[in-house]
Amino acid sequence: MSDSNIRTYTREREDEEEETATRSEEQEQCPECGGRLVSDAEHAETVCEDCGLVVEEDEIDRGPEWRAFDAAEKDEKSRVGAPTTNMMHDQGLSTNIGWQDKDAYGKALSSRQRQKMQRLRTWNERFRTRDSKERNLKQALGEIDRMASALGLPENVRETASVIYRRALEEDLLPGRSIEGVATASLYAAARQAGTPRSLDEISAVSRVDKMELTRTYRYIIRELGLEVQPADPESYVPRFVSDLDLSDETERMARELLESARKAGVHSGKSPVGLAAAGVYAAALLTNEKVTQNEVSEVASISEVTIRNRYKELLEASDTAAPA
């Protein structure tokens, strides 16, 4: 660039800066009296503090929509960065490097860049799990997420299960037990606490541990952590069974009424809640003239047809309703 071009460019920049400074001074001064302008956030206005002239109104509030009364609350409500989650061993605070080998514009990376990104991913994974405890937690939380997805459990159940597992790990309850067993027991306990229970057969079907180990580990975790888990309510299984069998709302309502009558008659005592729920759905379907077989109900509920036959007769007797042959 020649000297004349440089001088012309410099002069244009100086004129631009001077014009910007003049404009900012004009914006800070009242056009009527020359007084100082202040921003009124409460009324979304810019006013002159001397004469009270409203220079601008209906301004956009670019601040947060929440209030904080101390520094800790402000930090807690801040939305800077990705949200933290207990479903990741580092609570999602570390860096994630994608596996797509594409840049920000969606273009494929060159061979040299792909090799570089692969090395970065390798070192990133090593830094994210620096000790055995973090590796243990990473494996367990991945297992919880896998089983919860297979069982169709919501996000709050997964979060609760991860918190239970973290507590078990902190209190040194894992020695002598498998990671999969404690993770499965944590998910089962979380589902029971959230009111979206799954039967032991359903849990063990998607788990890598057998039913006996699951029940033994579950009882141990509940006892050592002092978790308050109420007995499963048969009615909590009814909506899922009705949905899987594609039955009507009337059948669901009738099943709830049958189970309520059985509870008042004391039939629930000592009985499996899954078996009672399945029998209630089957009995309600008979009473509402919907076509469903004991085999279909047993497949959905993962229990035997014998259990359904025994329980549905008890439910009908408890409700003083004549059962069809």
Side-chain angles (χ1 to χ4, degrees), residues 97 99 115-128:
I97 302 177
W99 294 88
Q115 292 177 359
K116 180 180 179 181
M117 295 306 297
Q118 183 59 39
R119 290 195 300 271
L120 289 174
R121 290 190 194 101
T122 302
W123 281 106
N124 185 54
E125 286 300 314
R126 291 174 181 173
F127 284 129
R128 289 183 66 186

Side-chain angles (χ1 to χ4, degrees), residues 241-255:
F241 293 167
V242 169
S243 176
D244 291 343
L245 292 167
D246 198 21
L247 300 175
S248 64
D249 293 341
E250 183 183 0
T251 300
E252 180 178 346
R253 184 168 58 253
M254 179 63 71

Side-chain angles (χ1 to χ4, degrees), residues 46-317:
T46 299
V47 299
C48 174
E49 65 177 2
D50 293 336
C51 66
L53 176 68
V54 178
V55 179
E56 292 184 14
E57 60 180 352
D58 297 330
E59 296 177 348
I60 298 175
D61 184 5
R62 304 186 185 277
E65 78 280 5
W66 40 262
R67 295 188 301 168
F69 300 99
D70 53 39
E73 187 176 0
K74 183 177 180 181
D75 292 339
E76 182 181 350
K77 291 184 176 181
S78 176
R79 295 192 181 88
V80 178
T84 58
T85 173
N86 287 315
M87 278 304 300
M88 299 182 71
H89 70 282
D90 52 10
Q91 296 189 335
L93 298 177
S94 61
T95 301
N96 290 320
I97 302 177
W99 294 88
Q100 294 182 341
D101 286 333
K102 294 181 180 179
D103 61 12
Y105 299 99
K107 298 179 181 178
L109 300 178
S110 64
S111 176
R112 184 175 180 180
Q113 287 175 322
R114 284 198 300 271
Q115 292 177 359
K116 180 180 179 181
M117 295 306 297
Q118 183 59 39
R119 290 195 300 271
L120 289 174
R121 290 190 194 101
T122 302
W123 281 106
N124 185 54
E125 286 300 314
R126 291 174 181 173
F127 284 129
R128 289 183 66 186
T129 53
R130 289 169 293 182
D131 53 30
S132 60
K133 185 176 179 180
E134 288 192 0
R135 286 193 294 271
N136 180 312
L137 195 57
K138 183 180 179 181
Q139 179 181 345
L141 296 181
E143 189 72 6
I144 288 174
D145 193 48
R146 180 190 66 81
M147 291 186 293
S149 297
L151 294 168
L153 291 172
E155 195 70 26
N156 64 312
V157 175
R158 307 181 192 202
E159 290 278 345
T160 304
S162 65
V163 172
I164 293 174
Y165 188 90
R166 287 174 186 273
R167 286 188 56 193
L169 185 62
E170 290 172 0
E171 298 189 21
D172 202 25
L173 302 182
L174 267 71
R177 291 166 182 81
S178 66
I179 294 175
E180 291 82 1
V182 179
T184 307
S186 300
L187 183 63
Y188 180 60
R192 291 276 297 272
Q193 284 185 329
T196 55
R198 296 293 185 269
S199 66
L200 286 171
D201 292 324
E202 290 176 302
I203 294 285
S204 60
V206 300
S207 175
R208 293 190 171 96
V209 297
D210 56 30
K211 186 176 178 181
M212 185 175 294
E213 182 181 350
L214 169 59
T215 54
R216 186 168 58 246
T217 307
Y218 169 72
R219 289 169 183 165
Y220 175 74
I221 292 296
I222 290 295
R223 183 177 66 253
E224 294 298 321
L225 295 182
L227 300 178
E228 295 183 3
V229 180
Q230 299 296 327
D233 186 358
E235 290 188 25
S236 61
Y237 294 94
V238 171
R240 184 159 55 91
F241 293 167
V242 169
S243 176
D244 291 343
L245 292 167
D246 198 21
L247 300 175
S248 64
D249 293 341
E250 183 183 0
T251 300
E252 180 178 346
R253 184 168 58 253
M254 179 63 71
R256 291 180 181 276
E257 292 176 0
L258 290 172
L259 292 172
E260 182 62 29
S261 301
R263 179 185 289 105
K264 293 178 180 178
V267 177
H268 280 42
S269 179
K271 306 292 194 309
S272 167
V274 180
L276 285 170
V281 171
Y282 176 69
L286 294 179
L287 294 175
T288 55
N289 296 319
E290 293 208 51
K291 294 181 180 180
V292 64
T293 64
Q294 292 180 3
N295 182 47
E296 291 173 338
V297 178
S298 68
E299 288 182 357
V300 168
S302 300
I303 59 172
S304 66
E305 296 180 32
V306 177
T307 302
I308 295 176
R309 280 196 293 271
N310 293 337
R311 296 292 173 266
Y312 100 87
K313 292 177 181 178
E314 294 174 357
L315 293 178
L316 292 175
E317 291 174 1

